Amino acid sequence: MTRVVNDEGLNLLFREARTHTVWRDQPVEDSLLQQVYELARMGPTSANMCPLRVVFVKTREAKEKLKPCLDAGNVDKTMKAPVTAILAMDIHFYEKLPQLFPHVDARAWFKDLPENVLEYIALRNSSLQGAYFMLAARALGLDCGPMSGFNNAMVDAAFFAGTTIKSNFLCNLGHGDASKLHPRSPRLSFDEACRVV
Ligand SMILES: Cc1cc2nc3c(=O)[nH]c(=O)nc-3n(C[C@H](O)[C@H](O)[C@H](O)COP(=O)(O)O)c2cc1C
């Protein structure tokens, strides 16, 4: 039997899911954040490397630490969001491969690669995981507001100093105020974006 997501699920995940910037005053429990991660982690990555690392910025103190790193246009929406996830990546993801891909010595495939190549690989795979993360959040009833308008070096210094972890993008999480949304921007049609050869 072919199993598919029903129309209601497709609406929730895709057709009616929007990028939110205005948040209702409704808290997000830590247990829900954990559920989001536990779904998102199941999405595929190269050699199951799972480079994504997440910091959930929730307290006032942590939000204040994030504030100076943000582009001006992203400050208000981020400070008012119940949670801001820093979706980051461990450039030395290969150190976890004995745990994550135990049937071969996958660590040896990556450990001597130059840092810029490791970063490229981590960026691809953590971006995929970031997309799984947003779909997981939407599946669990949260709204998302992804952002790349921030200073990565400042976020890395503030939250990941002395580690091999670097920020990829930010994602505000909460319950959005749909009445404040602009009309949805168009997407490319199948014929504009795809071809079957
Ligand atoms: C990786 C990424 C970075 C983004 N950066 C910003 C940003 O810095 N500030 C912002 O207001 N919106 C940002 N956006 C939001 C996009 O403009 C928005 O998702 C897109 O226009 C689609 O909107 P919709 O989901 O409501 O259709 C970003 C989205 C993504 C996925």
Side-chain angles (χ1 to χ4, degrees), residues 114-176:
E115 292 286 297
N116 64 324
V117 177
L118 290 170
E119 185 161 339
Y120 178 84
I121 295 168
L123 184 66
R124 172 188 290 144
N125 286 281
S126 69
S127 298
L128 284 169
Q129 289 189 285
Y132 309 143
F133 179 97
M134 290 192 284
L135 289 173
R138 288 171 167 177
L140 292 168
L142 286 170
D143 291 308
C144 297
M147 292 171 293
S148 53
F150 67 97
N151 184 315
N152 289 73
M154 285 178 74
V155 166
D156 295 351
F159 291 90
F160 305 118
T163 75
T164 53
I165 298 173
K166 292 187 176 197
S167 53
N168 184 346
F169 69 99
L170 307 178
C171 186
N172 287 329
L173 295 167
H175 299 92

Side-chain angles (χ1 to χ4, degrees), residues 17-21 71 73-74 77 134 138 144-150 168-170 181-185 187:
R18 294 294 311 278
T19 296
H20 282 262
T21 55
D71 286 2
N74 287 331
K77 62 186 83 154
M134 290 192 284
R138 288 171 167 177
C144 297
M147 292 171 293
S148 53
F150 67 97
N168 184 346
F169 69 99
L170 307 178
L181 288 170
H182 301 295
R184 170 90 96 175
S185 297
R187 302 299 205 255

Side-chain angles (χ1 to χ4, degrees), residues 5 7 53 59 82 90 138 170:
V5 174
D7 236 27
R53 305 290 181 268
T59 62
D90 190 350
R138 288 171 167 177
L170 307 178

Side-chain angles (χ1 to χ4, degrees), residues 101-121:
F101 208 64
H103 45 289
V104 288
D105 182 13
R107 183 178 178 275
W109 303 342
F110 298 100
K111 70 177 177 54
D112 297 320
L113 292 176
E115 292 286 297
N116 64 324
V117 177
L118 290 170
E119 185 161 339
Y120 178 84
I121 295 168

Side-chain angles (χ1 to χ4, degrees), residues 43-56:
T45 54
S46 171
N48 197 34
M49 59 178 56
C50 301
L52 180 73
R53 305 290 181 268
V54 187
V55 176
F56 291 103

